[in-house]
Amino acid sequence: MDGNGFRVWAAVDLLGGKAVRLRQGAPKSAWVVSDDPLALAVAWQGQGVQGLHVVDLDAALGMGDNRPLVAAICRTATVPVEVGGGVRGEAAYWQLRELGAQRVVVGSLAVREPEAVARLAAADPEGLVVACDVREGTVVVAGWQEPTPLRLGPFARSMADCGVRHLLVTAVERDGTGLGPDLEVLQEALRAFGPGVVASGGVGSARDLQALVALAPRGLEGVVVGAALASGAITVGQIRSVVGG
């Protein structure tokens, strides 16, 4: 993390016990990054990543879970770990915190039970991250498979009103494409939510990172990098040269 507090999280998406990447959230697009996600996480940590963003895709899609693997990553990591995917109740949230996740990401729960999110925000404000996954300006849930009637701006404002301090905003159309982040979506989120937004989706180059770091003074606190790091389009060294730390 640099002096401005901007953090880059390396994505470790788990599906069937392997680390994978998806394109635009489509399960059929999955390609295997590593057969050993723990070794991958350790390797990226050794190269100097600032945090690990672990998503249990099986749990998100209702196809079981990778809980033992999540626990092993949390236990082994010496950098912050945030975990999401299928966290659809307060009990599941606290279980992941007990496993060692520094932050836990909830998505569907925030849409369906905002009162539960308000309770979590009051009890654990720095541990809670709300996912705001957006396709064509509309919030989607259940592993990005179900649309909702909620629009980005009003939803982001409602989460701020619930006391949420960290909002993970993913432009689903850009995710896994390397076509660059959706700056308009992020700017709308920053206007509605305020400081504490984390970007996700579309980062494909060091130039993309520079564009996001430029939003740090407006309250962008970090970015999740997945496909670009997994494919080698961007290296941890390049990330550190742009962000610092």
Side-chain angles (χ1 to χ4, degrees):
M1 186 180 293
D2 73 359
N4 294 321
F6 190 93
R7 184 183 297 274
V8 177
W9 302 81
V12 182
D13 290 355
L14 306 176
L15 186 67
K18 298 179 180 182
V20 304
R21 292 301 304 162
L22 307 182
R23 184 181 176 88
Q24 298 176 330
K28 291 182 179 180
S29 72
W31 54 278
V32 176
V33 176
S34 174
D35 291 326
D36 189 343
L38 179 58
L40 178 68
V42 169
W44 279 344
Q45 177 180 283
Q47 293 169 32
V49 298
Q50 300 164 317
L52 297 169
H53 176 80
V54 180
V55 179
D56 189 336
L57 292 172
D58 289 293
L61 298 169
M63 303 189 306
D65 63 61
N66 295 275
R67 188 62 59 84
L69 189 50
V70 170
I73 293 172
C74 290
R75 185 170 57 247
T76 305
T78 57
V79 296
V81 179
E82 65 179 19
V83 180
V87 187
R88 300 198 172 103
E90 293 172 77
Y93 176 93
W94 292 114
Q95 287 167 2
L96 289 171
R97 288 288 274 133
E98 289 170 4
L99 286 180
Q102 183 165 332
R103 307 206 307 192
V104 175
V105 183
V106 303
S108 300
L109 184 67
V111 170
R112 294 168 178 158
E113 298 182 51
E115 67 280 1
V117 167
R119 287 192 294 269
L120 291 172
D124 193 24
E126 288 304 319
L128 175 66
V129 181
V130 167
C132 180
D133 303 320
V134 182
R135 181 185 283 120
E136 297 180 355
T138 298
V139 176
V140 293
V141 296
W144 303 351
Q145 304 305 301
E146 296 179 17
T148 75
L150 299 171
R151 302 293 292 178
L152 167 60
F155 177 71
R157 281 192 294 273
S158 72
M159 290 298 101
D161 291 342
C162 284
V164 174
R165 296 185 184 177
H166 306 287
L167 189 74
L168 174 64
V169 178
T170 301
V172 174
E173 295 99 334
R174 300 292 182 95
D175 191 72
T177 67
L179 297 176
D182 192 326
L183 298 178
E184 290 185 8
V185 163
L186 293 172
Q187 289 164 352
E188 182 178 355
L190 287 164
R191 287 193 297 269
F193 184 79
V197 171
V198 179
S200 178
V203 171
S205 67
R207 181 175 295 180
D208 291 337
L209 277 180
Q210 290 168 344
L212 294 173
V213 171
L215 292 177
R218 296 184 52 188
L220 192 71
E221 70 167 33
V223 59
V224 175
V225 179
L229 190 57
S231 68
I234 190 169
T235 67
V236 176
Q238 288 174 310
I239 289 172
R240 294 183 67 182
S241 69
V242 173
V243 179

